[in-house]
Amino acid sequence: MKTFERLSDWVSLRQELKQHNRTIGFVPTMGALHEGHISLVNQAKKENDFTFVSIFVNPTQFNSKEDLEKYPRSITEDISLLNAAGVDAILLPNENEIYEDNFRFKITENKFSKILCGAYRPDHFDGVLTVVMKLLGIAQADRCYMGEKDFQQYLLIKDMRESFFLKTKIISCPTIRESSGLAMSSRNERLSTENKVKAAIIYKYLHEKKTVADVRQSLEDSGFKVEYVEEIYGRRFVAAWLENVRLIDNVKI
Ligand code: PAF
């Protein structure tokens, strides 16, 4: 597995791959990897000749310095996980190279990014879309893999691809869950053992309860601070806080 920090080193290899007509599958991540990320890697490996992963904790998508600082980081473990998963190359870019323009240019979506998570995390999706646009430009991959746990993010990136005539196909992959039903997320690492068990109720209620109002009430009764429970695009979405950890999930209805 090759590891790059400088963009130009990756670009040389990318050009070589293109000359040999090898397809590239790309998985963008912010590290603190878990089985959910590995399922994206496995899908990329199945469908492409070469699997490329980026690890970059993107500062522009965090709403506070504190949240950015608290975001879990486990780079050594991440590298060994990716190596074991059979990834071909990883990019660990530095902030100066990614944001050489000091965020002078950014991508703003003015509709779907303003609801659900966007209503509670102002400018979050500007940061996500901007960094993904940059990473897609760097990777020049044939396919890019995104998890359905972040379904709103996936839809926005898929629409951005169409709006800007990008060539990389955006592929969604199912949410990977703990045996309890809890959606795997890097943020789960910040939950206590007790609250990790409790957090599994989210998935249970998303399925079991008849209305969004019932889901909200039941979560509040269980001690969650609920941001939203909404149904849109044939899915039921939730965001709720537990022990200062923000959890999101969604299911098809
Ligand atoms: O889902 C994530 O990990 C991030 O939002 C992404 C897509 C890597 C952009 O920073």
Side-chain angles (χ1 to χ4, degrees), residues 10-158:
W10 155 248
V11 170
S12 309
L13 174 60
R14 189 189 80 197
Q15 280 162 352
E16 223 177 277
L17 292 167
K18 294 282 163 190
Q19 272 161 16
H20 293 91
N21 290 324
R22 297 188 67 198
T23 56
I24 302 172
F26 175 48
V27 182
T29 80
M30 296 209 297
L33 304 180
H34 48 71
E35 277 177 52
H37 296 106
I38 301 305
S39 75
L40 304 181
V41 164
N42 290 338
Q43 192 68 26
K45 276 172 63 80
K46 254 191 238 157
E47 296 175 356
N48 303 276
D49 301 320
F50 191 94
T51 303
F52 178 55
V53 175
S54 65
I55 300 181
F56 178 63
V57 182
N58 174 34
T60 64
Q61 70 186 76
F62 287 83
N63 293 100
S64 71
K65 247 192 157 176
E66 195 199 343
D67 195 26
L68 172 61
E69 272 156 23
K70 276 201 203 148
Y71 196 80
R73 287 162 174 89
S74 51
I75 198 69
T76 315
E77 290 87 336
D78 290 350
I79 293 174
S80 14
L81 263 180
L82 295 175
N83 204 3
V87 164
D88 296 296
I90 57 178
L91 178 68
L92 308 164
N94 69 58
E95 195 181 323
N96 293 340
E97 251 200 305
I98 294 288
Y99 286 109
E100 215 191 328
D101 65 348
N102 280 322
F103 207 29
R104 194 158 68 91
F105 292 96
K106 65 176 173 184
I107 304 278
T108 299
E109 192 274 356
N110 283 312
K111 203 171 168 195
F112 189 51
S113 68
K114 306 298 176 197
I115 62 168
L116 302 174
C117 286
Y120 293 85
R121 303 189 66 188
D123 302 332
H124 165 67
F125 286 116
D126 284 9
V128 171
L129 294 176
T130 304
V131 81
V132 171
M133 181 64 121
K134 286 171 184 272
L135 292 170
L136 290 177
I138 295 163
Q140 299 282 315
D142 296 86
R143 297 174 192 84
C144 168
Y145 296 83
M146 318 281 326
E148 284 183 359
K149 188 191 71 83
D150 298 295
F151 202 82
Q152 186 178 15
Q153 166 175 280
Y154 154 69
L155 280 184
L156 283 163
I157 293 171
K158 189 171 77 64

